Amino acid sequence: MTFEFKMDEPQARLLDSTRQGLIGTAMPRPDGLAKVTGTADYAADHLPEGCAHGVLVRATVTRGRVTSIDEKSIAGIPGLLGVFHGPHFVRNPAQGTAGESPIRPDGEVHYHGQPIALVVAETFEAARDGALRLAVGYESEPAEVDPDTASEVERDDPQTRGDWDDAWNRAAARVDVTFRTPGHAAAAMEPHAAVAEWQGENLLLRGSLQMVAFNRYELADALDVAPERVRILSPYVGGGFGSKLGIGAEAVSAAIAARELDCPVRVVMARQTVFDAVLRRTETHQHLRLATDGDGKLLALAHHDRVSNLPGEAFSEPVSSASQFTYDALAMHFAQEVARHHRTPSGSVRAPGEAVGMVALEVAMDMLAKEAGIDPLDLRLRNVSTSHPMTGQAFGEQRLADCLTEGARRFGWADRPAPGTRAEGDWLIGTGMAAAARPNGLQDSAARVRLTAQGAVVETDMTDIGTGTYAILTQIAGEMLGLPAEQVEVRLADSDYPQASGSGGSFGASSAGSAVYIAARAIRETLAGRLGCAPDDLALQDGIARGGNVERPLAELIDGELVETAKVGPGKTAETHASSGFGAHFAEVAVHRWTGEVRVRRMLGLFDIGRVLNERTARGQALGGMVWGLGGALTEMLEHDPRTGHIANRDLANYHVAAHADVPSDMQVDFLPVRDDHANPMQSKGVGELGISGSGAAILNAIYDASGARVLELPATPDKVIAAMERA
Ligand code: MOS
């Protein structure tokens, strides 16, 4: 039986009184040893007996039809097993939580680099040779590839609050600014990979996927088979960042070929294919208007954006998402346009929305502070919202204001020299700050917890994409059941296990974790009954149960095993209350007076993520996000060939993610103690995508502080910094 839990009201803060001492600690990952010794079996590591190798063939036209695929053109390749294409082939990965097949273009080409066929051979080398030499005929059509000039543009109805004209007209200070960000790649270290094996009518797919519960339906739908026939395993994922939310061409094509050939087939994308044929982050064009009264109180806040995608894709980057609730203004206005064109389609890439939207908002806030003659910290503090301005929902406990003031104190914000007064040789030094916000939510999730005399086993199809799920679920189960970490085993990412949220949207740890928590709480009630005490009086620690005046080994109370499956989901608190992670970023940079080079010298991030579940993995998430923000501010940019739309910088040598040499050693990350009682039964909030939100703005604002260069088109490469310094 499954225990159903809806988050209808705040729950007792049980994890504040449990005794095991695991929750919230910096417990190392249980999977760490396997990872660093190379024994963790990532999808492509699993090579079954007789496994063939597939390499994707990709379109060399932007739009049109495949008219011929000449298999004879590669017939001489030794060990060639076949060329596969046809109506089941997908053009791009499914969007997050789709649960159905991505578009199957049936021979049509919609972007340059689209997977159109799979060449399979006995060796990878032979398959690659075949994929590169296969003769493909096309009928080509003209295609628009520039989002700025695309003729097809969709517009949503704006979301508004208050009387815009009145608020804008009586402002004492105003900012009206446009901001541009380029496309981004998720750039996960592990390339997309799948190994497909059919056992009769049943497909076993080992993949590198973030959302197994959804991926099973997506894959089944793409292949036109019943979902019960599909089993997915994805126990280790070498980073996803959104790019592995949905089933993609590597998995679908491997399954098609494996069925035809009646042998296992492995498909691993080359790095260039990952760039070309996996969803990217859209470029954005953002228009912000901010206005305050004479006291620095926001009167008006508008955030309009233009993003792009391939025709037929439902996803559009929610650029203004955090602008809608971080600050309160009398009048607010949000609107989006989606341009349709034929470039590699866009989808969720880490912190979709906030990663680019909060950068623009927080640079605009810095500009407004200058206009109004108010310290940027004070401007923010005067406008922190206490409820969601657009929905009227109250926030559960949130401490944005404390993140700002305490972060400023730790960084030494008040003692900083006046703008433009600090230099070391040819380096101009400056500081900047920004707020962070990323919505938090509880998603439907289930988990099974089994308690025996040997310990506890947790089973859920939740994934660990490097975020620390194995560690966090171990801690929750161990804490709730009074077991040391060594006596808890967490099994993940098998689609036969109870269905969880998967990893995405920063909701995984809280959602899957709440399912483990509720299942373990049900087991605690049984244990209390058997011990003869009230559940509230039960204390579990190191395998000993205490309650009332009784003390007994846990093993004596179990009687074989205790099993509970819990399914959690959002309830009434999600209607009455808004929930979001918050934070504050501070940065110090050096800008070279003559070359425009920017070096980040130190960063500090202080965050409110509700209850911290694992201090080490939470810190890793926040730190990684801040580094991504640095890359977005200074180096990251997808470049498209203007003739074909084809991504030109398709590898990690030409697409510049921040490297060690770009990141200062002085990176401080910390969390305030918070309990969001309305978020979920553990009072935790998401952390994964919060660190990236706004961190780039702190750097851009520091560049301005140092040099007077206001860069409004990212990344702030030396050429743009020099041009902006000259303008200043
Ligand atoms: Mo995230 S971009 O929802 O993996």
Side-chain angles (χ1 to χ4, degrees):
M1 230 195 62
T2 300
F3 186 87
E4 299 250 359
F5 172 89
K6 289 274 177 236
M7 187 63 196
D8 286 327
E9 57 187 2
Q11 303 290 299
R13 296 176 181 178
L14 187 53
L15 290 172
D16 283 329
S17 57
T18 45
R19 305 283 178 85
Q20 192 58 35
L22 264 182
I23 202 75
T25 66
M27 191 190 91
R29 299 161 190 265
D31 48 320
L33 187 68
K35 283 183 173 168
V36 299
T37 55
T39 53
D41 55 336
Y42 290 83
D45 292 334
H46 189 86
L47 207 55
E49 192 63 28
C51 189
H53 302 264
V55 172
L56 288 162
V57 180
R58 288 163 322 97
T60 56
V61 300
T62 300
R63 191 180 179 197
R65 275 203 78 76
V66 174
T67 52
S68 64
I69 289 183
D70 181 10
E71 297 188 24
K72 285 199 285 301
S73 64
I74 56 169
I77 294 176
L80 187 76
L81 295 172
V83 179
F84 301 89
H85 45 91
H88 293 294
F89 238 74
V90 299
R91 73 175 186 184
N92 53 256
Q95 301 285 353
T97 72
E100 59 184 35
S101 174
I103 287 175
R104 296 177 289 185
D106 197 14
E108 285 187 18
V109 176
H110 298 148
Y111 64 96
H112 199 293
Q114 176 186 313
I116 51 170
L118 184 76
V119 174
V120 181
E122 288 168 9
T123 64
F124 168 74
E125 290 75 11
R128 183 178 56 184
D129 188 21
L132 291 172
R133 290 206 275 131
L134 184 72
V136 179
Y138 301 94
E139 200 175 85
S140 194
E141 287 172 46
E144 291 184 307
V145 295
D146 183 350
D148 283 351
T149 56
S151 50
E152 189 189 342
V153 179
E154 291 157 20
R155 290 178 182 83
D156 277 353
D157 287 341
Q159 295 164 271
T160 67
R161 173 194 188 203
D163 182 339
W164 178 267
D165 289 339
D166 177 61
W168 185 254
N169 288 333
R170 62 195 176 88
R174 295 188 192 91
V175 163
D176 184 328
V177 64
T178 57
F179 200 88
R180 297 180 74 113
T181 65
H184 291 153
M189 248 208 278
E190 178 205 22
H192 296 54
V195 180
E197 271 183 278
W198 289 85
Q199 288 140 354
E201 293 294 295
N202 296 322
L203 171 63
L204 175 66
L205 186 106
R206 292 168 196 274
S208 183
L209 294 160
Q210 294 178 224
M211 296 189 153
V212 167
F214 295 92
N215 304 144
R216 168 190 232 168
Y217 292 99
E218 289 153 6
L219 183 55
D221 191 27
L223 298 169
D224 283 326
V225 303
E228 306 80 63
R229 299 259 174 240
V230 174
R231 182 177 175 206
I232 294 181
L233 303 177
S234 183
Y236 295 102
V237 180
F241 312 114
S243 74
K244 296 167 182 172
L245 288 169
I247 208 81
E250 78 286 1
V252 175
S253 65
I256 292 168
R259 183 160 54 183
E260 293 291 318
L261 291 168
D262 200 19
C263 77
V265 173
R266 177 172 82 173
V267 177
V268 182
M269 285 191 181
R271 180 61 66 188
Q272 290 82 358
T273 310
V274 174
F275 271 83
D276 271 351
V278 167
L279 304 173
R280 66 184 173 92
R281 187 197 306 284
T282 179
E283 70 297 318
T284 72
H285 196 156
Q286 304 182 46
H287 180 204
L288 282 117
R289 282 170 294 159
L290 303 177
T292 66
D293 66 15
D295 296 323
K297 183 76 194 76
L298 277 173
L299 292 172
L301 189 165
H303 195 168
H304 294 184
D305 67 88
R306 181 178 169 115
V307 297
S308 72
N309 212 337
L310 203 60
E313 291 299 317
F315 176 87
S316 63
E317 178 112 3
V319 175
S320 69
S321 150
S323 301
Q324 301 191 13
F325 64 82
T326 305
Y327 305 113
D328 206 347
L330 275 184
M332 300 176 96
H333 204 283
F334 305 98
Q336 181 169 66
E337 293 179 353
V338 185
R340 297 294 174 184
H341 59 66
H342 291 268
R343 285 180 177 179
T344 292
S346 50
S348 292
V349 174
R350 203 172 205 220
E354 295 78 18
V356 285
M358 272 305 263
V359 177
L361 175 68
E362 289 298 294
V363 168
M365 284 294 279
D366 198 66
M367 297 172 78
L368 185 65
K370 302 290 177 292
E371 276 300 313
I374 299 172
D375 185 286
L377 174 67
D378 292 338
L379 177 66
R380 288 171 173 88
L381 287 170
R382 286 176 205 186
N383 292 290
V384 164
S385 60
T386 49
S387 60
H388 194 303
M390 297 301 287
T391 66
Q393 293 164 297
F395 281 112
E397 183 175 17
Q398 70 109 319
R399 297 185 62 188
L400 172 54
D402 294 334
C403 289
L404 291 163
T405 47
E406 176 59 16
R409 191 190 67 74
R410 295 186 193 183
F411 185 79
W413 181 254
D415 306 328
R416 72 198 191 286
T421 60
R422 219 176 135 197
E424 293 175 13
D426 285 335
W427 292 93
L428 310 171
I429 316 298
T431 49
M433 63 155 307
R438 218 285 156 177
N440 172 67
L442 177 64
Q443 301 288 313
D444 288 345
S445 277
R448 181 162 54 232
V449 178
R450 187 184 306 274
L451 180 64
T452 70
Q454 280 71 51
V457 174
V458 173
E459 290 169 328
T460 164
D461 77 358
M462 176 63 190
T463 50
D464 187 334
I465 61 173
T467 41
T469 312
Y470 284 105
I472 291 162
L473 300 190
T474 298
Q475 286 169 289
I476 295 168
E479 189 64 50
M480 290 293 285
L481 299 173
L483 295 170
E486 304 75 51
Q487 286 182 37
V488 180
E489 184 191 346
V490 173
R491 300 175 186 162
L492 297 179
D494 179 338
S495 59
D496 284 352
Y497 293 152
Q499 296 185 349
S501 62
S503 298
S506 303
F507 48 61
S510 288
S511 299
S514 289
V516 174
Y517 173 91
I518 293 293
R521 197 174 74 176
I523 291 177
R524 285 175 64 97
E525 282 173 20
T526 305
L527 292 170
R530 291 185 182 174
L531 194 64
C533 71
D536 285 352
D537 294 335
L538 182 71
L540 300 174
Q541 188 181 0
D542 291 328
I544 305 292
R546 296 181 188 87
N549 290 323
V550 191
E551 173 176 313
R552 285 178 64 187
L554 202 52
E556 288 178 18
L557 298 173
I558 294 171
D559 187 24
E561 65 171 14
L562 287 172
V563 189
E564 294 285 355
T565 303
K567 181 169 191 270
V568 304
K572 294 200 183 89
T573 63
E575 288 154 30
T576 56
H577 285 72
S579 183
S580 177
F582 288 101
H585 294 284
F586 296 83
E588 179 180 305
V589 306
V591 181
H592 196 277
R593 189 191 298 273
W594 308 118
T595 67
E597 180 184 355
V598 175
R599 304 297 305 171
V600 180
R601 309 213 319 176
R602 63 186 176 111
M603 292 181 82
L604 182 147
L606 183 61
F607 303 100
D608 156 10
I609 59 166
R611 181 193 300 279
V612 176
L613 299 172
N614 180 311
E615 203 276 330
R616 183 190 305 264
T617 60
R619 183 175 187 283
Q621 289 298 297
L623 184 61
M626 288 162 66
V627 169
W628 195 324
L630 187 161
L634 300 179
T635 61
E636 286 196 46
M637 176 179 195
L638 285 174
E639 310 253 17
H640 297 262
D641 185 318
R643 298 160 300 180
T644 62
H646 193 199
I647 293 171
N649 51 347
R650 304 178 298 141
D651 58 44
L652 294 171
N654 290 295
Y655 180 84
H656 291 275
V657 300
H660 279 289
D662 299 312
V663 181
S665 54
D666 188 354
M667 296 283 288
Q668 293 183 51
V669 176
D670 206 355
F671 305 100
L672 291 179
V674 184
R675 303 284 182 264
D676 186 341
D677 288 310
H678 295 82
N680 59 59
M682 303 186 299
Q683 300 88 32
S684 59
K685 297 192 277 196
V687 57
E689 294 165 312
L690 183 60
I692 186 175
S693 163
S695 66
I699 292 168
L700 294 166
N701 294 339
I703 294 172
Y704 175 82
D705 186 64
S707 67
R710 185 64 83 182
V711 181
L712 299 170
E713 185 172 348
L714 296 189
T717 43
D719 54 322
K720 292 185 202 141
V721 174
I722 289 173
M725 277 198 276
E726 280 170 1
R727 280 197 300 276

